[in-house]
């Protein structure tokens, strides 16, 4: 895929962990501390490695026949994933190539030297294996401890049962130091066999009755794991402390914490400042105890030093940022990070999920921010702490979760942004507990009640006075009147003088269907339907006939004779319900050439120009689009619900350094500029706001009602790629951002194209024949999920053969075949190919 090509070119052209300038000692470091500008020696030896292509395998050969395998493993040292013995050689699979570069060319056994060979492995360690190592839950060795000195099973029985899980390196029977427990030490050749044995002992207690089975890590094997650089010795500090913590004060004047961490991962340098390259994501965790202070914990002193050198220039003085001592990470955690463990995870989705749904699913494991890559095909989970990410991987791959089958079969990986090694994807298994049903979404009230009306009041007069149309429906009663709007925003009106108007809060309207919203925006549909007198005369109909004809579809508010906009006399019927007007227009009565008229409650607004367009120039092509979208945050605490809207237009051609974003309302444009300004400065981009003509009132109301640029199409049968592209590009520039055999998400550049597509599909005003019979369509919000009710796609005119060759269905490649949501490379998906 395009993503992997970008990542390959990125790493092939950059030297790992190098800097081109010498910086003064960072504040907070002990005076006289030795400062080095050279990368750690074990990293300098392999400077041009691609992700996941390090020499992770160590081959010991020319061994004598009948060699002792345990002695070879101990002599090699380090944390080993798997062991593959041969007649005269042994292949040791390490978690990371960083563990193998410190070896000499030989190892010594009983005074004899045996040659070593480091070999490359195309893929990294499995994601689930790395996660269990980081949580100190995985090794090739197990202790089976019985509660009594006499085990209920014989040694032969225990050996037979453990051997059923896989071949062994060693098996020993001993006693605990107090002589009260029987202990059996088992060493497997493969760590996955040890984990399977441990899990089986939990699910099947009769396997080892009365015993506790635990994974152990022999610390004598850690001698060759490189330690992180230590801070200088100091009498007031423990010699174990490492200067790997960054304290940032006055942080509230900058940007959100995750934004700053993203800058470390995606950019790594500031234009015009000392250029620094990064060894993967080095921020292990961060915490923000107050609004103006944040702590960032790096994997080692070297990573903290690089961050300080690169980013101190954005602070006003050196007192705002300083390096602090902190305990080093555990050796297992350091090795897991070298093997590709990260705070961020990617999930290759099989069904689309919104950001809010993802957050609801995964917040239980720790504070997480959600986003997307590859359109909406891949979910990105950014945890504040790497321990939380490791736990998520562990529970998802063992079924110890309550997500049911929502993510069953999805590939799970650590986000390999700028990583020197990526992990092999693991597959999520079905949870042991079913996912509890989510409560139905609560829609905001969009109805008002007009009270204190006199008996026999004129409905049309009241509706005109309240105004703020178009309206969905009017529900008159004896002394009061209910008015239902399309959106909550319309219902939040200022009552006219002398009228008692209140918002109805004791009951909520169900979400409107996508076709009603789309037709209101595209066709300017309303409750009013007109027919010209000329047409009536030609068909031999009278006014009484027309009144009876319209009344067949629903109750009328009024029936008036007036001139149309064209100056021709006509009769206009105003229905109480907008849906009744649509039924009338879709019926055979429309042979009378019916047209929609203005709703009496709608005020005609003159076109206005507002500064709601943001133009970003000189944007580096490697900055993915989701970085732009992530800057548009939905903060329920600071924004009232009826103000939540979306992007009306987005355009960024492939490999372009310019992005154009139109917002609605205009306040969203200003808010985006404030949020994204620091990021733009750091990457050398310029932003400006431009005034453009505002959306017409119908599209404004449609967006307030849930219309979005993204369409969610549930298919009755799989479609071919070229057919999907030919059909939907008719309405405007589009990108497929998610695809499976039964569901497709299509993102249009312009909101007008999206509502036109829905309107034409649901009225049969298209030339696609019956290709979409059985399909349903709705608008989709990438944060909230489906934003409207679904509507059925109707058959249209028979399609014309485009003459293009048909292509086979390839669901995993569909997101990249045409104009993908992210038209530039998006780093971070560790996918095995």
């Amino acid at each position: 895929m395009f993503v992997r090509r970008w990542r390959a070119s990125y790493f092939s052209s950059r030297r790992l962990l190098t800097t081109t300038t010498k910086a003064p000692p960072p504040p907070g470091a002990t005076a006289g501390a030795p400062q080095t500008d050279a990368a750690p020696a074990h990293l300098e030896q392999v400077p041009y490695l691609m992700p996941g292509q390090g020499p992770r395998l160590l081959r010991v050969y020319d061994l004598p026949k009948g060699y002792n395998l345990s002695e070879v493993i101990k002599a090699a040292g380090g944390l080993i994933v798997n062991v593959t013995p041969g007649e005269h050689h042994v292949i040791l699979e390490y978690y990371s190539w960083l563990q193998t570069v410190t070896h000499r060319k030989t190892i010594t056994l009983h005074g004899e030297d045996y040659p070593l060979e480091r070999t490359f492995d195309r893929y990294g360690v499995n994601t689930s294996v790395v996660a269990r190592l980081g949580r100190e839950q995985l090794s090739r060795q197990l202790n089976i401890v019985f509660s009594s000195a006499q085990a209920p099973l014989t040694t032969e029985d225990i050996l037979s049962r453990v051997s059923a899980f896989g071949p062994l390196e060693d098996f020993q029977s001993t006693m605990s130091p107090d002589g009260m427990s029987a202990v059996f030490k088992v060493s497997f050749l493969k760590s996955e066999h040890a984990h399977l044995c441990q899990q089986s002992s939990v699910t099947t207690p009769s396997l080892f009755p009365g015993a506790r089975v635990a994974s152990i890590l022999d610390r004598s094997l850690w001698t060759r794991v490189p330690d992180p650089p230590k801070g200088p010795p100091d009498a007031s500090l423990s010699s174990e402390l490492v200067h790997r913590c960054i304290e940032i004060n006055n942080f509230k004047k900058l940007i959100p914490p995750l934004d700053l961490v993203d800058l470390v991962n995606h950019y790594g340098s500031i234009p015009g400042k000392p250029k620094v390259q990064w060894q993967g994501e080095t921020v292990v965790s961060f915490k923000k105890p107050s609004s103006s202070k944040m702590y960032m914990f790096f994997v080692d002193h070297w990573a903290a030093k690089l961050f300080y050198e690169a980013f101190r220039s954005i602070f006003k003085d050196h007192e705002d940022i300083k390096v602090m001592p902190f305990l080093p990470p555990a050796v297992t955690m350091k090795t897991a990070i070298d093997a590709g463990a990260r705070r961020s995870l990617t999930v290759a989705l099989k069904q689309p999920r919104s950001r809010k749904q993802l957050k609801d699913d995964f917040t239980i494991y720790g504070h997480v921010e959600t986003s997307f890559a590859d359109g909406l095909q891949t979910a990105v989970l950014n945890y504040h702490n790497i321990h939380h990410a490791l736990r998520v991987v562990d529970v998802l791959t063992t079924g110890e979760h309550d997500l049911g089958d929502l993510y069953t079969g999805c590939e799970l990986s650590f986000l390999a942004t700028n990583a020197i090694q990526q992990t092999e994807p693991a597959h999520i298994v079905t949870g042991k507990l079913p996912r509890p049903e989510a409560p139905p979404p609560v829609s905001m009230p969009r109805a008002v009640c007009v009270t204190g009306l006199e008996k026999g009041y004129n409905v049309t007069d009241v509706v005109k006075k309240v105004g703020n149309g178009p309206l969905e429906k009017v529900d008159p009663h004896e002394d009061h009147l209910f008015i239902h709007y399309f959106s909550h925003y319309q219902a939040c009106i200022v009552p006219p003088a002398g009228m008692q108007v209140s918002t109805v809060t004791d009951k909520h309207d169900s979400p409107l269907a996508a076709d009603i919203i789309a037709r209101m925006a595209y066709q300017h549909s309303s409750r009013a339907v007109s027919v010209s007198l000329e047409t009536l005369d030609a068909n031999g109909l009278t006014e009484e006939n027309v009144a009876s004809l319209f009344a067949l579809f629903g109750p009328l508010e009024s029936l008036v004779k007036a001139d149309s906009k064209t100056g021709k006399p006509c009769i206009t019927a105003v229905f109480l319900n907008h849906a009744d007007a649509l039924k009338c227009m879709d019926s055979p009565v429309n042979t009378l050439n019916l047209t929609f008229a203005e709703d009496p409650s709608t005020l005609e607004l003159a076109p206005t120009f507002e500064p709601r367009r943001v133009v970003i120039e000189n944007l580096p092509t490697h900055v993915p689009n989701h970085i732009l979208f992530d800057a548009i945050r939905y903060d329920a605490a600071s924004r009232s619900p009826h103000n939540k809207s979306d992007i009306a237009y987005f355009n960024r051609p492939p490999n372009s350094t310019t992005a154009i974003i139109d917002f609605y309302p205009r306040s969203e444009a200003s808010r985006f500029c404030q949020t994204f300004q620091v990021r733009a400065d750091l990457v050398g981009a310029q932003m400006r706001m431009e005034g453009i003509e505002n959306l017409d009132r119908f599209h404004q109301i449609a967006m307030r009602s849930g219309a979005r640029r993204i369409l969610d199409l549930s298919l009755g049968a799989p479609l071919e790629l070229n057919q999907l592209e030919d059909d939907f590009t008719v309405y405007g520039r589009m990108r497929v951002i998610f695809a499976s055999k039964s569901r497709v998400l299509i993102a249009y550049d312009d909101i007008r194209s999206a509502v036109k597509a829905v309107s034409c599909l649901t009225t049969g005003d298209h030339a696609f024949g019956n290709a979409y019979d059985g399909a349903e369509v709705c608008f989709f919000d990438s944060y909230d999920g489906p934003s409207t009710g679904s509507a059925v796609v109707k058959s249209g005119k028979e399609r014309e053969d485009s003459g293009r060759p048909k292509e086979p269905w390839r669901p995993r490649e569909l997101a990249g075949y045409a104009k993908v949501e992210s038209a530039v490379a998006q780093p971070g998906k560790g996918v095995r190919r």
Side-chain angles (χ1 to χ4, degrees):
M1 291 179 65
F2 186 66
V3 174
R4 285 187 61 86
R5 291 200 301 271
W6 173 83
R7 286 173 47 220
S9 63
Y10 179 89
F11 288 103
S12 62
S13 61
R14 286 166 167 77
R15 187 178 178 86
L16 295 175
L17 288 172
T18 58
T19 181
T20 59
T21 187
K22 188 172 183 179
T30 307
Q35 299 293 326
T36 174
D37 292 313
H42 64 281
L43 295 179
E44 285 289 352
Q45 296 183 34
V46 191
Y48 291 105
L49 289 179
M50 307 278 223
Q53 292 188 347
R56 196 169 55 85
L57 305 182
L58 190 67
R59 180 172 174 264
V60 186
Y61 57 97
D62 289 347
L63 293 171
K65 194 172 183 178
Y67 61 89
N68 188 305
L69 180 60
S70 297
E71 291 181 354
V72 175
I73 293 174
K74 187 173 182 179
L79 293 172
I80 300 173
V81 189
N82 299 318
V83 178
T84 306
E87 186 175 3
H88 295 285
H89 72 276
V90 176
I91 298 177
L92 307 176
E93 179 184 351
Y94 286 86
Y95 285 92
S96 168
W97 57 266
L98 295 177
Q99 297 174 270
T100 66
V101 295
T102 58
H103 282 83
R104 299 182 298 274
K105 294 184 178 181
T106 61
I107 63 170
T108 303
L109 293 174
H110 305 294
E112 295 288 336
D113 291 338
Y114 297 97
L116 300 178
E117 179 186 23
R118 292 193 296 270
T119 60
F120 284 75
D121 180 45
R122 183 178 180 185
Y123 304 111
V125 185
N126 188 274
T127 298
S128 61
V129 174
V130 174
R132 293 182 194 121
L133 172 71
R135 301 189 72 197
E136 300 191 14
Q137 293 182 337
L138 179 71
S139 75
R140 296 181 302 106
Q141 299 171 316
L142 295 178
N143 261 0
I144 304 176
V145 183
F146 289 90
S147 56
S148 61
Q150 184 64 39
L153 301 174
T154 65
T155 302
E156 290 74 16
D157 287 340
I158 296 176
L159 177 60
S160 174
R161 296 188 180 193
V162 297
S163 299
F165 294 98
L168 304 181
E169 170 205 333
D170 192 19
F171 179 85
Q172 298 179 12
S173 173
T174 183
M175 296 292 294
S176 61
D178 57 6
M180 300 297 293
S181 301
V183 179
F184 295 88
K185 295 183 177 180
V186 184
S187 297
F188 288 88
L189 292 181
K190 295 184 180 296
S191 56
E192 61 186 79
H193 296 160
H195 177 71
L196 181 60
C197 180
Q198 183 182 8
Q199 289 293 104
S200 299
S201 68
V202 176
T203 57
T204 311
S206 60
L207 184 64
F208 305 110
R212 182 176 62 88
V213 181
S215 177
I216 60 173
L217 291 170
D218 186 354
R219 294 182 178 271
S220 66
L221 301 180
W222 294 0
T223 54
R224 293 191 180 277
V225 177
D227 294 325
K230 298 293 182 68
D234 185 70
S236 62
L237 300 175
S238 167
S239 59
E240 294 297 320
L241 296 182
V242 178
H243 286 78
R244 67 182 186 94
C245 175
I246 295 286
E247 178 185 347
I248 303 176
N249 293 302
N250 300 327
F251 189 75
K252 60 184 178 181
K253 68 187 178 184
L254 293 172
I255 49 180
L258 274 178
D259 289 3
L260 185 59
V261 175
D262 284 344
L263 291 173
V264 177
N265 299 335
H266 288 286
Y267 311 134
S269 64
I270 304 173
K273 303 297 180 182
K275 191 171 184 61
V276 178
Q277 303 302 334
W278 300 92
Q279 176 209 345
E281 180 183 329
T282 55
V283 182
V284 177
S285 65
F286 62 91
K287 59 177 62 175
K288 201 168 186 294
S290 67
S291 61
S292 61
K293 177 175 289 189
M294 187 178 79
Y295 293 99
M296 302 177 69
F297 299 91
F298 290 80
V299 66
D300 53 29
H301 165 75
W302 176 255
K305 174 177 179 290
L306 289 182
F307 175 86
Y308 171 79
E309 291 178 357
F311 288 92
R312 62 177 180 162
S313 62
I314 67 176
F315 298 90
K316 288 186 177 179
D317 53 69
H318 288 180
E319 296 302 319
D320 285 336
I321 177 173
K322 57 184 177 181
V323 183
M324 304 286 290
F326 197 73
L327 288 172
V331 177
T332 50
M333 176 62 74
K334 178 65 168 63
T335 305
I337 293 173
D338 290 341
R342 297 291 181 266
R343 287 183 308 101
S344 301
L345 304 170
T346 62
V347 182
L349 299 175
K350 292 191 174 182
Q351 291 296 329
R353 303 286 287 172
S354 67
R355 291 180 61 176
K356 185 177 184 300
Q357 290 171 324
L358 290 169
K359 194 157 188 171
D360 291 342
D361 291 342
F362 294 101
T363 299
I364 187 175
Y365 304 108
H367 193 96
V368 63
E369 297 293 340
T370 58
S371 60
F372 294 101
D374 296 343
L376 300 185
Q377 198 82 40
T378 302
V380 179
L381 309 176
N382 296 302
Y383 281 93
H384 284 200
N385 194 311
I386 194 172
H387 293 278
H388 300 158
L390 298 179
R391 183 187 174 199
V392 169
V393 174
D394 198 11
V395 299
L396 290 181
T397 54
T398 57
E400 299 288 341
H401 59 84
D402 65 348
L403 298 176
D405 59 355
L406 282 176
Y407 300 93
T408 299
C410 295
E411 289 186 348
L412 176 68
S413 306
F414 290 107
L415 180 60
T417 303
N418 292 5
I420 56 177
Q421 179 167 314
Q422 66 186 41
T423 58
E424 180 185 21
H427 287 86
I428 300 175
V429 300
T430 303
K432 295 182 178 179
L433 298 175
R435 177 64 172 170
E437 292 188 8
V442 178
S443 59
M444 299 303 297
R446 47 188 178 85
V448 298
C449 181
V450 184
T451 57
L453 300 176
E454 296 180 356
K455 192 173 182 179
Y457 63 90
N458 187 291
V459 175
T460 302
D461 291 343
V462 175
V463 169
K464 285 184 177 180
K465 288 182 180 179
V466 175
N468 213 28
L471 309 180
E472 182 203 354
K473 64 180 178 180
V474 176
D475 186 9
H477 294 267
E478 186 176 359
D479 59 350
H480 63 281
L481 177 71
F482 288 103
I483 300 177
H484 296 259
Y485 292 96
F486 283 94
S487 68
H488 173 72
Y489 171 74
Q490 293 173 275
C492 298
I493 60 176
V494 178
M499 299 194 69
Q500 302 175 25
V501 181
S502 60
T503 303
V504 178
T505 58
D506 57 345
K507 60 180 180 179
H508 298 277
D509 295 303
S510 58
L512 290 170
D515 59 333
I516 293 178
I517 297 173
R519 295 183 67 175
M520 183 268 297
Y522 177 63
Q523 299 179 359
H524 292 188
S525 65
S526 68
R527 298 180 301 124
V529 177
S530 295
V531 58
S532 67
L533 294 180
E534 182 180 347
T535 303
L536 294 181
D537 293 339
N539 289 272
L541 297 175
T542 63
E543 295 182 21
E544 291 76 12
N545 297 142
V546 174
S548 301
L549 198 60
F550 285 146
L552 294 175
F553 301 96
L556 301 179
E557 175 188 309
S558 63
L559 186 71
V560 296
K561 182 189 294 186
D563 290 342
S564 65
K565 288 184 177 181
T566 59
K568 294 182 178 181
C570 64
I571 294 179
T572 301
V574 181
F575 290 88
L576 290 178
N577 196 323
H578 178 267
D580 295 337
L582 294 181
K583 292 178 184 177
C584 180
M585 292 292 291
D586 295 339
S587 71
V589 177
N590 204 6
T591 55
L592 298 177
N593 297 325
L594 305 179
T595 58
F596 285 114
E598 289 186 6
D599 192 307
S601 63
T602 303
L603 297 178
E604 186 68 27
L605 300 178
T608 58
F609 285 80
E610 295 184 339
R612 60 182 186 88
R613 168 169 288 184
V614 177
V615 179
I616 307 175
E617 297 177 328
N618 297 327
L619 187 65
T621 56
H622 72 268
V623 178
N625 285 344
H626 73 80
I627 294 296
L628 301 176
F629 292 122
D630 286 348
I632 308 167
R633 311 240 179 198
Y634 292 84
D635 187 357
S638 62
R639 305 177 64 194
S640 57
H642 68 268
N643 272 339
K644 186 169 67 176
S645 189
D646 201 65
I647 300 173
Y649 176 80
F650 176 83
N651 183 28
R652 185 187 182 188
N655 300 320
S656 173
T657 59
T658 301
I660 300 175
I661 311 175
D662 292 354
F663 291 88
Y664 175 77
R666 58 178 293 184
S667 57
E668 292 303 292
S670 302
R671 187 170 179 270
F672 171 80
C673 290
Q674 295 173 359
T675 303
F676 195 72
Q677 187 62 58
V678 174
R679 286 184 171 189
D681 292 342
L682 289 175
V683 299
Q686 292 83 41
M687 288 194 304
R688 70 175 188 273
M689 294 179 61
E690 294 182 352
I692 60 173
E693 184 176 339
N694 203 358
L695 293 171
D696 61 68
R697 181 167 180 80
F698 295 95
H699 281 89
Q700 292 180 23
I701 299 301
M703 293 191 67
R704 300 283 193 181
S705 304
R708 296 292 181 265
R709 296 180 306 113
I710 302 176
L711 304 185
D712 185 350
L713 187 65
S714 298
L715 301 174
L719 294 176
E720 296 171 352
L721 302 188
N722 54 3
Q723 178 178 322
L724 197 69
E725 183 183 20
D726 286 345
D727 291 347
F728 285 90
T729 50
V730 170
Y731 304 111
R733 191 170 184 269
M734 49 75 71
R735 298 157 304 283
V736 175
I737 58 175
F738 180 90
S740 67
K741 289 190 176 182
S742 61
R743 200 169 175 187
V744 177
L745 263 59
I746 299 169
Y748 282 95
D749 282 2
D750 199 321
I751 185 67
R752 300 175 183 86
S753 301
V755 298
K756 179 181 179 181
V758 174
S759 177
C760 294
L761 288 171
T762 55
T763 58
D765 186 18
H766 58 82
F768 311 149
N770 58 358
Y772 298 93
D773 279 3
E776 294 185 350
V777 64
C778 69
F779 292 102
F780 188 90
D781 189 296
S782 62
Y783 182 83
D784 290 320
S787 54
T788 64
S790 297
V792 177
V793 177
K794 296 182 179 179
S795 299
K797 301 176 184 178
E798 289 300 323
R799 68 167 66 250
E800 297 179 1
D801 188 3
S802 63
R804 292 180 52 176
K806 297 184 181 298
E807 300 177 13
W809 172 260
R810 298 190 299 272
R812 286 304 305 277
E813 299 180 14
L814 183 56
Y817 82 94
K819 311 168 188 70
V820 183
E821 172 69 18
S822 185
V824 296
Q826 299 195 15
K829 188 177 179 184
V831 178
R832 180 172 182 171
R833 295 294 179 194

